[in-house]
Amino acid sequence: VNQTWSMARKDMLEIVRDRRWLGTAIIVVVMSLAALFLAHQRVAGYEQDRLIAEAQDRKTWLNQGSRTPHGAAHFNTWAFRPLTPAALLDPGVSAHSGSAIWLEAHNQNPATARAAEDRAGSLDLGALSISWVFQVVVPLLVFAVAAGLVARDRERGTLRLMLAAGANARRIPLQKAMALGGMTLLAATPLLAAAAATFAMAPAPADMDQFQRLLLWIGAHAIYLAIMALVAVAVSARAKRVDSALVTLVAVWLLAVPMAPRLAASVAEIVAPMTTAQAFWRGVAADLGEAHVFDPEDPAAKALEKRVLAQYGVSQISDLPVSYAGIQLDEAEKHGNTVFDRHYSALHAQADRQRAIMRLAAVFSPLIALQNISAGVAGTDAIHQWHFVTQAEAHRRLTVAQLNADMIANAAGKDFDYIASPQLWASVPAFTYDPPSWTTLAHAWLPDAVILLGWLLAAWMLVVNAGQAMARSDV
Amino acid sequence: MSEMLRLLRLDAIHLMRERVALWALVVGLAVTLLAVWSGHAWLQGLNDERVSFLAEHDDKARSFRETLLSGKMTPEQLALAPVRVAFPLAYPLPPLADFTIGRSDIEPATAVVRMRYRSDTLFRVYQTDNPERLVRGQIDMSFVVVVVAPLLLIALGYGLFTGDRDRGTAQIMLAQAGSPLKLLAARSLNRLALVSAPILAGCVMLVALGPDPVDRFLPALKWIGIALLSLVFWQALILFVNALRIGSEAAALLLVGLWTLLVFLAPAVINAAAQYAFPPPSRLALIVESRAAEVAATGTYENDHPELAADPSLPTAEQYRRTVARNIGISRKIERRIAPLMARFDQQLSQQMEIVETAQLLSPPMTFSGLLAGVAGTDAKAYAQSRRAAFRNLADFKRTIAVHLAGRKDFTLSELDALPRYVPPPPASPGFMPLMAAFAFTLALWYLAWRLYRRTLVA
């Protein structure tokens, strides 16, 4: 063990003396700090806008004056998604998923205000973020430094000398991997400290759940970088020359980092395409039209009338002690809810299918699994978005039901002419999103954690195998 | 000429014996095939969606027109006609969305123009895509040209001359009677051909498989020209690095470093800087502004159920007519209130585009990527132009309806037919300056490399 450590220390010293390592470390540090600064600006700016928007929207709702409950239900309110401190780590899908939902009567609207639409960049291969630096840039730099770790010794003939001096061939790749891991950790430590500091300075206070998310994020990225370091050493140990090791590693990086996620997305869209927006809304409209309680000829309307008259023991609508229009609205809303549940569930199932297909590409790259975990622990993945959408929709239904109930109770004989007082608006609670703890949604990325650990094991075996091959053959 | 052909043939034989060349060919073919598959499916999907949207809404518009023509509309229906009339608006299909998917996967391209809608609500219900897929992007021919092909060229060419230097064969090469510059030119041409061949084949397949091959031929030719220029730029860079007095390991590292810097780091930094320098106003602020304006201007039902917002002392048709007029007034008030914010969105996006266009000259791959998207019609500029045209159409549509309402007459067939339809803006041609800059940069690199070689080889 002592020999392993001393060899690893020697290699670390060699890496430090290599100016390329210093250069790459400086690039990584500068880019990461810039990414953290931009993320902080983005999240803080968004949160400031959100709080102002929420307050103003509530004020508008409360001060809308006397009007009909159904008019108010149409106008209703908006749900704005908050960003937690963990969002600083990884923007995830937030730029593409929308952050605001209009909670209006009759309609379950999709989330709108997608930041991606307000960008006019070019050659967008990923937004600058601390996750992007660790997932895309750092592996390439690790590969560039690692390409020569064993291959250079072989090329110069020093590997033969090392073995003649009694070094264990089986252990050499492992020692090199330890040296590389140590140096990567050395370069990453100030960045992780900066990430933690930025996290602590986030606009919303970070609770225990958020700190646990930070630790998980660090852990997942540490495993990912360890995989990359092990793969790099294994390739270097098998290469005859440094340049061929470098080219092989760049090819591995090309496949694993920029290509695999895109390949996965392309295949997912071809194999299991999402329903287009038009088809989706066409389907919703067709199903909503199946039962029209306001059309006296519609069987659903006839059935409702019969049921309500029987319930109140009267023979005609005008004798009802409640607003029949309010009951019709409530019934239409319930019918709408079942239609929206069906269609949105189908859409959600399609997204799940695409996620499963994209996950299959983890065979080519651990990055896909890491991206799922990273966005998951940052609270910016599609699962967290769906959690927000579900809570917002529950609030919409609650609000509309409350306004309809008021109309049913108070609008007898007036129906749509009934005017409610502003007290009714005050009795409707404001929407407050309750973000889930990481444990609640961890099941979504547990398969990814297993895949990542599988990759770690495979990479370890590659290094062990490379050591055995070195011991067997003439170096 | 015959010497050059002989060199090309000999080098080609030598190249095909190398494993890396075979790998480059296999990777190039595999990625191109995937890009063709993905791009073709994408364009097909866009086309199908557009066609079905237009068919559905044209049917509705035709049915409305026929009802109006039949004279069977009641006075009440006629009064409400201005709020019921709706025209489909669909951007033309980007000519080469299968080559460069670009922004076609996030930009809405269809909407329904009707009196109730405003510029902030025209594109209202389209966000049903899977954000996980969107954020990962897709493989298209642009990705192959800008990201994959340069790496293949680097893998094939990092030892173009440095390899000879490392092995000591450079001296032997110089001692030969033939021109070493011609040999380097032959090696470069063969490597360019190896990488370009799958791309050219992919482009031909896409044109042949896609709609309107005749109409798309010229844009495709332009696209291929830019793609080839991009590859020539990388080959010039490879030659330049080979001309430096360094070994093949250092050359490989330098080239990979330059590739990372130009393809990954510079674009990420430039895009982030543009967004930081010119952030768009808050979408959330736009939402609350429009709502505050709406609630201040609205009494009861005008904006959701105009048929319910009635004054019972008047005949029903007149009630409706007045409600519709009020509706127009409300819409105008909201538009006026949010106009500064909407203008700021447009201004900030234009500024972002401008800064990206200027700064991308620092990264030729970014320039090439922008040019390819420009020819494909899927860049930010093309969508901004289409969006502006859509907003203009909506404003004209509402203005014409307002003129009709001021006349206080029933809605007629001639008025319906006179309503303005969406006219797409002419397709924007890619910027001349970026193209010239990319060309000049490539030429300068070739010249520098040539001079360095002349000096090295003569020395």
Side-chain angles (χ1 to χ4, degrees):
Chain A
V1 176
N2 277 345
Q3 191 198 17
T4 305
W5 274 113
S6 62
M7 293 282 281
R9 265 206 310 276
K10 182 219 89 168
D11 285 324
M12 280 171 81
L13 203 64
E14 270 186 16
I15 295 174
V16 171
R17 283 178 186 157
D18 185 349
R19 280 186 191 165
R20 287 174 300 187
W21 182 84
L22 188 68
T24 53
I26 289 171
I27 292 175
V28 170
V29 169
V30 170
M31 287 203 73
S32 302
L33 293 179
L36 278 172
F37 169 74
L38 289 173
H40 188 267
Q41 294 290 102
R42 176 179 59 84
V43 172
Y46 172 83
E47 275 302 284
Q48 193 184 355
D49 289 342
R50 182 185 66 82
L51 290 172
I52 293 171
E54 264 181 9
Q56 198 175 331
D57 195 47
R58 182 69 183 166
K59 195 173 150 195
T60 306
W61 169 257
L62 292 176
N63 296 333
Q64 61 183 313
S66 301
R67 62 180 63 214
T68 69
H70 188 57
H74 266 284
F75 181 69
N76 218 314
T77 54
W78 279 72
F80 302 111
R81 188 179 167 186
L83 286 178
T84 56
L88 286 164
L89 301 172
D90 191 337
V93 303
S94 51
H96 290 84
S97 57
S99 51
I101 304 175
W102 181 20
L103 312 176
E104 65 163 335
H106 307 318
N107 275 319
Q108 180 178 353
N109 292 305
T112 183
R114 300 193 298 186
E117 286 168 38
D118 299 328
R119 295 174 183 169
S122 172
L123 188 51
D124 186 4
L125 295 171
L128 183 61
S129 72
I130 183 88
S131 287
W132 184 79
V133 174
F134 274 88
Q135 292 168 10
V136 175
V137 183
V138 176
L140 186 62
L141 299 178
V142 167
F143 280 7
V145 172
L149 271 183
V150 186
R152 189 172 292 111
D153 281 332
R154 179 178 284 125
E155 209 173 59
R156 289 177 184 161
T158 46
L159 188 60
R160 205 180 281 270
L161 289 175
M162 281 161 66
L163 294 175
N168 186 342
R170 285 174 206 271
R171 284 198 188 151
I172 287 176
L174 188 63
Q175 289 154 5
K176 302 281 183 185
M178 280 170 66
L180 185 64
M183 294 315 296
T184 310
L185 193 68
L186 196 69
T189 304
L191 298 176
L192 297 176
T198 317
F199 199 78
M201 287 187 298
D207 56 13
M208 191 47 75
D209 173 71
Q210 294 291 305
F211 276 108
Q212 285 168 354
R213 285 173 182 266
L214 174 67
L215 289 177
L216 283 167
W217 184 85
I218 291 172
H221 282 79
I223 293 174
Y224 173 70
L225 291 180
I227 294 166
M228 292 304 191
L230 289 168
V231 168
V233 172
V235 169
S236 181
R238 286 183 174 275
K240 287 191 178 130
R241 293 201 322 262
V242 182
D243 54 354
S244 62
L246 183 64
V247 170
T248 309
L249 283 171
V250 170
V252 169
W253 179 85
L254 176 68
L255 176 70
V257 179
M259 271 186 65
R262 280 174 180 258
L263 183 136
S266 289
V267 172
E269 186 59 23
I270 294 168
V271 175
M274 296 285 290
T275 303
T276 63
Q278 280 167 40
F280 177 81
W281 293 111
R282 202 182 302 127
V284 167
D287 285 1
L288 284 175
E290 266 176 12
H292 207 301
V293 290
F294 288 98
D295 176 2
E297 299 307 313
D298 194 290
K302 285 178 182 165
L304 177 69
E305 185 180 333
K306 197 174 163 189
R307 179 161 57 80
V308 172
L309 291 179
Q311 185 187 341
Y312 288 94
V314 292
S315 55
Q316 50 189 1
I317 288 169
S318 56
D319 294 338
L320 283 170
V322 290
S323 163
Y324 186 64
I327 292 172
Q328 283 175 304
L329 282 173
D330 195 48
E331 195 66 15
E333 209 62 41
K334 283 175 186 157
H335 169 61
N337 292 346
T338 58
V339 171
F340 286 116
D341 281 344
R342 193 162 61 239
H343 284 269
Y344 273 100
S345 295
L347 202 64
H348 190 51
Q350 287 175 351
D352 275 348
R353 231 177 356 259
Q354 285 203 341
R355 170 179 265 241
I357 293 169
M358 285 191 266
R359 193 177 270 144
L360 287 178
V363 175
F364 299 108
S365 167
L367 179 59
I368 290 162
L370 177 73
Q371 283 177 333
N372 288 345
I373 298 172
S374 177
V377 297
T380 53
D381 64 344
I383 314 291
H384 278 78
Q385 176 70 10
W386 184 246
H387 188 266
F388 164 71
V389 168
T390 309
Q391 274 195 21
E393 176 57 11
H395 185 79
R396 181 188 80 87
R397 292 180 185 186
L398 201 75
T399 307
V400 175
Q402 189 177 340
L403 295 171
N404 283 341
D406 180 80
M407 186 168 165
I408 292 168
N410 301 312
K414 297 179 196 159
D415 287 340
F416 286 104
D417 293 330
Y418 161 66
I419 303 290
S421 73
Q423 278 90 338
L424 179 60
W425 323 138
S427 71
V428 174
F431 173 69
T432 316
Y433 177 55
D434 183 19
S437 67
W438 71 268
T439 47
T440 314
L441 301 180
H443 62 87
W445 47 263
L446 270 181
D448 300 297
V450 173
I451 290 170
L452 207 60
L453 289 173
W455 263 98
L456 183 65
L457 188 67
W460 177 266
M461 284 166 70
L462 272 181
V463 171
V464 171
N465 201 262
Q468 285 169 348
M470 274 174 73
R472 275 198 307 270
S473 63
D474 178 21
V475 294
Chain B
M1 188 65 185
S2 64
E3 187 197 350
M4 190 65 197
L5 285 174
R6 193 172 56 85
L7 281 172
L8 277 170
R9 193 174 60 83
L10 286 173
D11 181 65
I13 293 167
H14 178 69
L15 185 64
M16 289 324 290
R17 282 188 192 141
E18 284 187 29
R19 213 161 40 170
V20 67
L22 198 66
W23 271 108
L25 193 62
V26 169
V27 170
L29 277 172
V31 182
T32 302
L33 276 178
L34 194 70
V36 169
W37 187 28
S38 161
H40 176 65
W42 181 252
L43 186 68
Q44 194 76 43
L46 282 182
N47 194 31
D48 290 351
E49 197 174 346
R50 187 174 184 276
V51 168
S52 76
F53 170 81
L54 285 175
E56 181 189 343
H57 289 278
D58 279 341
D59 265 359
K60 283 182 185 169
R62 201 173 304 117
S63 156
F64 183 87
R65 190 177 186 281
E66 277 165 12
T67 318
L68 195 62
L69 180 67
S70 68
K72 286 180 186 163
M73 272 193 181
T74 62
E76 291 77 19
Q77 283 174 324
L78 279 172
L80 286 175
V83 282
R84 301 278 188 247
V85 62
F87 287 158
L89 175 160
Y91 294 168
L93 206 60
L96 300 177
D98 45 350
F99 285 62
T100 307
I101 291 173
R103 289 180 68 90
S104 65
D105 64 350
I106 56 164
E107 293 277 358
T110 54
V112 175
V113 176
R114 58 195 311 170
M115 206 193 76
R116 280 173 54 197
Y117 295 167
R118 305 183 306 263
S119 46
D120 61 321
T121 59
L122 179 60
F123 298 100
R124 32 191 294 128
V125 279
Y126 59 91
Q127 293 109 328
T128 54
D129 322 279
N130 180 4
E132 241 176 84
R133 187 196 61 71
L134 286 178
V135 86
R136 287 193 165 123
Q138 293 189 68
I139 288 185
D140 57 8
M141 288 302 288
S142 260
F143 180 78
V144 178
V145 169
V146 178
V147 181
V148 181
L151 270 184
L152 297 181
L153 280 175
I154 289 171
L156 291 169
Y158 71 91
L160 204 68
F161 186 62
T162 54
D164 289 308
R165 211 182 269 139
D166 284 353
R167 290 189 295 270
T169 47
Q171 295 299 325
I172 301 168
M173 193 174 118
L174 293 174
Q176 304 296 309
S179 160
L181 280 174
K182 277 188 181 170
L183 179 63
L184 286 175
R187 285 179 177 177
S188 295
L189 281 175
N190 275 333
R191 279 151 184 81
L192 269 174
L194 189 78
V195 175
S196 314
I199 294 172
L200 290 176
C203 292
V204 171
M205 280 168 78
L206 279 177
V207 173
L209 290 169
D212 309 321
V214 178
D215 290 346
R216 284 173 8 113
F217 181 72
L218 200 62
L221 218 55
K222 277 187 200 169
W223 195 96
I224 290 170
I226 294 166
L228 288 178
L229 185 62
S230 159
L231 299 184
V232 170
F233 159 79
W234 279 104
Q235 191 58 36
L237 195 63
I238 290 165
L239 273 173
F240 177 76
V241 169
N242 269 271
L244 303 174
R245 291 179 182 277
I246 53 175
S248 51
E249 181 202 338
L253 201 65
L254 183 58
L255 284 167
V256 170
L258 283 171
W259 178 84
T260 313
L261 182 74
L262 297 178
V263 176
F264 269 83
L265 304 188
V269 171
I270 290 170
N271 288 335
Q275 283 150 28
Y276 180 71
F278 298 103
S282 161
R283 284 268 166 206
L284 310 188
L286 182 69
I287 289 167
V288 289
E289 273 299 308
S290 67
R291 285 172 64 74
E294 186 174 359
V295 79
T298 315
T300 301
Y301 296 128
E302 291 99 331
N303 255 7
D304 35 68
H305 288 295
E307 72 281 6
L308 295 174
D311 175 357
S313 63
L314 296 167
T316 314
E318 183 56 25
Q319 289 173 26
Y320 287 178
R321 201 169 284 123
R322 288 188 179 196
T323 308
V324 170
R326 271 206 304 277
N327 198 306
I328 286 259
I330 293 165
S331 182
R332 269 194 194 145
K333 281 180 187 165
I334 301 170
E335 291 267 21
R336 264 202 298 272
R337 178 102 167 241
I338 62 167
L341 271 173
M342 292 299 285
R344 185 133 178 83
F345 266 108
D346 203 41
Q347 186 193 1
Q348 292 296 85
L349 283 185
S350 299
Q351 298 267 38
Q352 277 189 26
M353 276 185 251
E354 233 169 76
I355 199 170
V356 167
E357 257 186 34
T358 311
Q360 74 182 7
L361 298 178
L362 297 170
S363 158
M366 205 175 169
T367 308
F368 289 121
S369 170
L371 287 168
L372 292 174
V375 175
T378 54
D379 61 341
K381 205 183 253 179
Y383 279 100
Q385 282 181 357
S386 298
R387 203 166 38 241
R388 278 188 213 117
F391 292 162
R392 269 199 306 276
N393 174 238
L394 178 68
D396 291 347
F397 180 92
K398 287 165 78 168
R399 203 175 300 121
T400 314
I401 295 261
V403 170
H404 153 76
L405 287 171
R408 308 183 56 77
K409 288 178 190 160
D410 283 342
F411 199 62
T412 63
L413 191 63
S414 58
E415 280 176 315
L416 178 73
D417 290 339
L419 282 172
R421 295 291 193 121
Y422 175 67
V423 180
S429 52
F432 182 71
M433 272 307 288
L435 189 64
M436 282 300 104
F439 192 70
F441 210 79
T442 308
L443 217 59
L445 262 180
W446 275 98
Y447 177 70
L448 278 175
W450 178 75
R451 279 198 50 155
L452 267 176
Y453 277 113
R454 273 184 66 94
R455 200 180 303 162
T456 311
L457 299 177
V458 169

